[in-house]
Amino acid sequence: MRRSTYFLQFPVPPGAVPAFESLGAAQVVEQTATAVRLQAGSAAVEITALADDLFRVGMFGAGRPREYRSEGVARVDWATAEARIAVEADEVRIETPRATARVALHPLRIGFRDSEREFATDDEKLGMGFAPLAPPASRLVDPLGSPAIVYKRHEPGTHYFGCGERTGSLDKTQSRQVFWNFDPPAQHTAALNNMYTSVPFVLGLRDGRAWGMFVDSSYRLEFDLVNEDPSRCGFAIDGGPMIYYVFAGPTPRAVLERYTELTGRMPMPPRWAIGNHQSRWGYKTADQLLEIARTFRQRGIPLDAVYLDIDYMDGYRVFTWDAERFPDPADLVRQLGELGVKLVTIIDPGVKVDEQYRPYCEGRDADLFCKTFFGDEYRNVVWPGLCAFPDFTDPRTRTWWGEQLPALLDTGVAGIWCDMNEPTVFVPTPQTLPEDVTHHGDPNAVLHAEVHNIYGQLMARATHEGFRTLRPEQRPMVISRAGFAGLQRYALHWTGDNTSWWEHLAMSMPQLQNLGLSGYAWVGVDIGGFTGDATGELLARWTEFGIFQPFCRNHSAWNTRPQEPWAFGEPYESHIRKMLLLRQRLMPFLYTLFDEAHRTGAPILRPLLFEYPDDATTFATDDEFLVGRALLVAPIARPRVDYRHVYLPRGTWVHYWSGERYQGPKHVLAHAPLGRPAIYVRANTPVPLWPEMAYDGERPPDPLTWLVFVAAADDGSAELYEDDGEGYAYERGVSARTRVHCSVSNDIELRFEAVEGSFASTSETLEVDLRGLERPTQVLIDDSAAQAWDYADGRLTVRLPGGRAARRLTVRAAVA
Ligand code: MIG
């Protein structure tokens, strides 16, 4: 495959790269209950069944240790999989109850299959092998382990998704993907093939069956997904051992569940952190920030948090406050708190080189910064001027970093926003650390080239762990721009410096969907766009989409038109208010999806293919998405456009505003004027809602409403997850799970199962809000007539007393 070197701007000159050396014949050296070890020339190869649907392959160059420890991987202790190993003259098979790894020995070729199909099978001709890079890069990397490629056969009809943070469309088939964290030039376009964060994971989908492959290397990587050759994919690493994991699926959900078991899942966030957030690079004084928060309240627009970008610091020194503009940060936090608003502050990794500045002196004296190849402190310029860079690969540095957090947390700051952690440096042009910068490593020294892609994640980890140490009873809220596979364990991710363009509103959809398919469930883009000037229409349309992002934050750059919700006047402000209030109502629904992501790795904002992998039309519908299973959202992403095409997959879907029903699969034309975005609700699928609130915790969420659009259609069901929204009692079972089933035949029946778990709901009253039915002749709660219900215009509302027992609501009414 064609590969670039570290010198990204220059293609490799012809003939400069020695040929790819494919592995030849292999011999079985050793066998365990679940693994086979082989020798192929100078390479040692190990294939292991870690679980019924998870295999690991490791290829280690001559004399390299068999070592799988990685920042990407959270789980290493796999209970022995139920495997059967068959060794024959030409072939070894590792069979689990669900899948088989087939290892041909002459030459060594590795493939996978289950009862239905083959997947991740080596290209017959090329297989796996070593692939020296062009001379300048290889001088640096070769001593650390050989660049390598594994070529996999492309099974015709397969489409590829995931690959983490991307521009362009959802389907990555025929593309080339580069994994090397960097701060891309402003105005992200589809031409970019790497961004701030790198998740070298791909999800393959064919004939309704999914599989996955994760290449666990923190060196630079490239995936060629049927780009160079129509018959294969290539997965290349620039150094180190070739370690990859194969997931048998066969559903996208099963792949994600296993992938996030391997790389870790998101802890439950504090609930306020999924509310509405307002930020701007340019909020410069405590008074200005308070004014912003008050304006939200005066205008009745929900708000849970405001942000301080780099201007709060003293000369951009991380972990300081500017004494003039922020004379009393604790008082600022207190005043915001009175308004129900939390404060999040930014931090950057660059530590200003300044003999009068404690963090710098401490870090230098304790030898906590990155070094040049010659052992000097590595320095480059970022916002504060000349900076040193904490060596987050060293556990001592991570602890020390956490110990700096009281400068922020002790004033009452509620969340920490890690920026510039690719890391980005400014000289000679914005780029990252040179590959020969040295790190302490853990336990051995390493070059930056080896750990570049995990630098940002390690900063997020240090921040998260420091936060937990200082506030053991509080759930950390950490945001990170850079990361690797597994960032979800420590931080949410936002996608950096997008632009106030309609094109970027459109781009956000596939971008967040691919992140969701890559284990990052808590994600968001800057609503309204970061660089460039938004317009009222763009901001309103972007908010119609943005309220469905797991992370909902309006953020913009200092030199752009202000874009707070009221900045463009009416009618935009009213539309934005209405949408943000809808998000606030959706809080219990969203929080339940966070719980699902936390337990299973399922994305919150998810592509249609996640639920309908057997419907190939969904592979291309990346200008719409699902939120959980119940909502389908199809935003408008063009100016002055009121209509758009929507694809509705199978099932019955109800238009949220009009109640009109559609029988999928169907292509429809949605009328979606400003203020009425195309939202469809799956019929008979209850959606839990809270009343409109200004912020999380403003008052008890009463009543809790179950909204159901009824139809003569399949039964539906839903869940509600509740806990106290902060702290760790939920890990000890202090949570509540309510399951609801809805069936519609002669009657409409809503069956609530008894609440599971010991958390006492803060909602005292339950309300059921049924839409799309004729006037009922009778409404029964557990077979006795309900006391009070209201009916008007096809809509029935019934109040039920709160409580934990199972109950049943029967409505004798016809579907309208
Ligand atoms: O060089 O802190 O992506 O959100 O406002 C720019 C200033 C540095 C980049 C972040 C952006 C933030 C900005 N930062």
Side-chain angles (χ1 to χ4, degrees), residues 126-307:
L126 298 174
M128 174 162 62
F130 296 104
L133 292 168
S138 62
R139 259 208 308 280
L140 177 65
V141 176
D142 274 355
L144 307 171
S146 303
I149 307 180
V150 52
Y151 287 100
K152 295 289 184 188
R153 195 162 80 206
H154 168 64
E155 311 288 350
T158 305
H159 289 259
Y160 302 87
F161 305 94
C163 299
E165 184 179 32
R166 297 293 151 190
T167 53
S169 59
L170 178 66
D171 187 344
K172 295 304 178 200
T173 314
Q174 295 192 348
S175 73
R176 219 179 112 249
Q177 303 291 326
V178 172
F179 302 88
W180 183 254
N181 292 351
F182 88 129
D183 183 359
Q187 309 190 334
H188 307 157
T189 70
L192 279 179
N193 56 14
N194 53 320
M195 295 188 81
Y196 309 94
T197 175
S198 291
V199 189
F201 170 75
V202 69
L203 182 117
L205 199 48
R206 180 170 69 106
D207 294 338
R209 293 175 79 86
W211 56 276
M213 181 158 154
F214 165 47
V215 183
D216 188 11
S217 170
S218 55
Y219 288 77
R220 190 169 175 284
L221 302 100
E222 277 183 50
F223 289 2
D224 176 304
L225 302 172
V226 212
N227 175 323
E228 178 189 69
D229 189 297
S231 71
R232 62 177 181 247
C233 296
F235 301 86
I237 55 168
D238 273 10
M242 168 62 87
I243 293 168
Y244 69 89
Y245 295 82
V246 170
F247 304 84
T251 59
R253 186 181 296 276
V255 172
L256 260 288
E257 187 154 359
R258 207 48 111 179
Y259 171 75
T260 54
E261 185 179 358
L262 179 70
T263 60
R265 301 202 177 112
M266 163 188 76
M268 280 304 281
R271 200 173 48 223
W272 64 265
I274 64 176
N276 180 44
H277 295 193
Q278 180 65 41
S279 180
R280 180 168 170 87
W281 179 11
Y283 295 155
K284 275 206 166 109
T285 66
D287 289 340
Q288 188 187 5
L289 202 63
L290 279 166
E291 191 50 37
I292 292 285
R294 283 192 205 107
T295 309
F296 271 86
R297 291 293 174 257
Q298 281 154 12
R299 293 177 177 266
I301 303 172
L303 178 71
D304 274 287
V306 288
Y307 285 60

Side-chain angles (χ1 to χ4, degrees), residues 75-86:
R75 171 148 194 200
V76 283
D77 58 323
W78 294 87
T80 311
E82 220 185 287
R84 212 183 65 90
I85 300 187

Side-chain angles (χ1 to χ4, degrees), residues 685-706:
T685 301
V687 177
L689 301 172
W690 277 355
E692 286 180 353
M693 278 194 258
Y695 58 93
D696 182 56
E698 184 192 15
R699 58 197 148 82
D702 252 337
L704 181 115
T705 303
W706 286 98

